[in-house]
Amino acid sequence: MKQSTRLSSAVFQLTPTRTRCDLIIIANDKKEKIASGLLNPFLAHLKTAQDQIAKGGYSILLEPETGSDATWFTKATLERFVRFVSTPEILERVYTIETEILQIEEAMAMQRRNDIGQSIVENHQIRPQGGSEGDKSVPHANEEKAIVLYTPGAPAPEANGSRLQEGNSKVQLLKVLDTRKAVLQKEQGMAFARAVAAGFDIDHMEALVSFAECFGAMRLMEACSRFMDLWNSKHETGQWLDIEASGALSNQSDFTAMNASCTILSDTPNKRDISNHMASDNNGKSCSTNNAGMIKSF
């Protein structure tokens, strides 16, 4: 079945224990299994699935409203949804890093504001040099403002050396924050490239949002919306363009390889998974496992 094939429906076929499932897509009276594994990850992401499982039964039906022009309901959209369920961080990481970058920028701005405020206070605390005795008898208005009242028990004014050391520490802090920001920006660009390579490029976000709205996949909808907002803002400033261009070829090859596989969601490998893995090896296909040990493609 082609990636662009428009589906009539998709069904989660449950096991007798209702803990595992096969995800089967249906189009033009043809069926194809695209995922298999634990049911709970899908329930956590789909409000429609939660509502149907509460009524009992051994199947969960995903079907757009009758008469709707659901051009987004394709095999590719379902596969991207499965990929998001298995590894939501692949799409959410971009925004998570952006949050940390904004926090660093706020800390740097606050530090600079504090430095400016402290400089103004110190300038006001410097008492201007007086002239003759006659001048001292009638203080100038600015001189009155420059008078600092002595408070018993107050710490003595810092020495010039201490102030210099404090200033150097603040400069070093700003340098550390600026370095961290640069590292995060680079990491964010790499996270964006990985998301694109996994099939979550901007051209497919609208289809995923439509899927999320139809079947109550709120986490997916939020992740897509934030990703699109960031993509627009970064491209306005010229960021990510080079990364997107360099990742285009890997995106095409990696996503094609993913589309040719069937995904299994599992907590720990079981006998069935192992037997499937051995069978795939005999057929000359490759098997890959992600870092979390949650997904197997064969």
Side-chain angles (χ1 to χ4, degrees):
M1 194 178 296
K2 295 181 179 180
Q3 300 302 307
S4 58
T5 300
R6 182 172 173 177
L7 308 178
S8 57
S9 62
V11 178
F12 291 96
Q13 194 64 48
L14 312 185
T15 60
T17 58
R18 300 209 309 171
T19 57
R20 300 181 65 85
C21 65
D22 292 333
L23 177 55
I24 301 171
I25 56 176
I26 304 171
N28 301 323
D29 296 328
K30 295 182 179 179
K31 298 181 179 181
E32 180 179 335
K33 183 174 73 172
I34 63 171
S36 177
L38 295 175
L39 176 63
N40 282 338
F42 292 107
L43 292 179
H45 284 266
L46 283 176
K47 181 66 167 58
T48 297
Q50 296 172 16
D51 295 341
Q52 292 187 34
I53 198 70
K55 299 177 182 178
Y58 292 93
S59 64
I60 298 172
L61 177 65
L62 300 182
E63 188 176 30
E65 295 182 2
T66 304
S68 62
D69 185 22
T71 56
W72 48 266
F73 196 52
T74 63
K75 177 182 177 180
T77 300
L78 265 293
E79 287 183 335
R80 289 186 178 92
F81 167 68
V82 171
R83 196 165 299 119
F84 179 79
V85 170
S86 61
T87 315
E89 295 79 11
I90 195 69
L91 190 57
E92 295 174 336
R93 179 60 179 160
V94 177
Y95 179 79
T96 302
I97 297 176
E98 180 69 12
T99 301
E100 188 173 349
I101 291 176
L102 293 177
Q103 291 174 347
I104 290 177
E105 290 178 344
E106 177 61 25
M108 294 174 67
M110 185 179 299
Q111 183 64 48
R112 292 190 178 100
R113 288 195 298 267
N114 291 341
D115 290 344
I116 294 174
Q118 184 176 355
S119 177
I120 294 175
V121 171
E122 290 177 352
N123 290 337
H124 279 291
Q125 288 179 346
I126 298 176
R127 186 172 183 175
Q129 296 294 330
S132 61
E133 293 182 358
D135 294 333
K136 292 182 180 179
S137 61
V138 184
H140 193 273
N142 290 335
E143 291 179 340
E144 292 180 353
K145 294 180 180 179
I147 296 175
V148 179
L149 297 178
Y150 171 74
T151 304
E158 295 182 355
N160 291 336
S162 299
R163 291 183 179 180
L164 180 60
Q165 183 178 2
E166 181 182 355
N168 291 336
S169 298
K170 292 178 179 179
V171 171
Q172 290 297 325
L173 175 59
L174 286 174
K175 287 183 178 180
V176 170
L177 291 175
D178 192 53
T179 300
R180 176 59 179 165
K181 176 183 174 181
V183 171
L184 286 174
Q185 287 175 332
K186 183 177 180 180
E187 183 180 347
Q188 187 182 47
M190 296 172 62
F192 168 75
R194 285 192 293 268
V196 171
F200 296 102
D201 52 284
I202 194 67
D203 294 334
H204 299 109
M205 288 294 107
E206 291 293 343
L208 287 171
V209 169
S210 297
F211 175 90
E213 290 177 344
C214 183
F215 301 115
M218 294 297 102
R219 185 173 178 179
L220 175 62
M221 183 187 300
E222 183 178 9
C224 290
S225 298
R226 289 176 171 177
F227 186 89
M228 288 189 292
D229 291 341
L230 271 179
W231 187 91
N232 291 328
S233 63
K234 298 298 181 181
H235 278 66
E236 287 178 358
T237 59
Q239 299 183 48
W240 292 2
L241 293 177
D242 294 338
I243 297 174
E244 185 176 19
S246 62
L249 294 178
S250 61
N251 171 28
Q252 184 177 2
S253 59
D254 292 348
F255 191 48
T256 301
M258 292 177 184
N259 291 336
S261 65
C262 176
T263 302
I264 290 183
L265 300 178
S266 62
D267 48 355
T268 55
N270 55 25
K271 293 182 179 179
R272 179 184 176 186
D273 296 337
I274 294 174
S275 62
N276 287 337
H277 173 53
M278 295 176 63
S280 65
D281 287 342
N282 293 333
N283 292 331
K285 297 181 181 179
S286 61
C287 177
S288 61
T289 306
N290 71 340
N291 294 333
M294 294 292 293
I295 308 173
K296 294 181 180 180
S297 299
F298 62 95

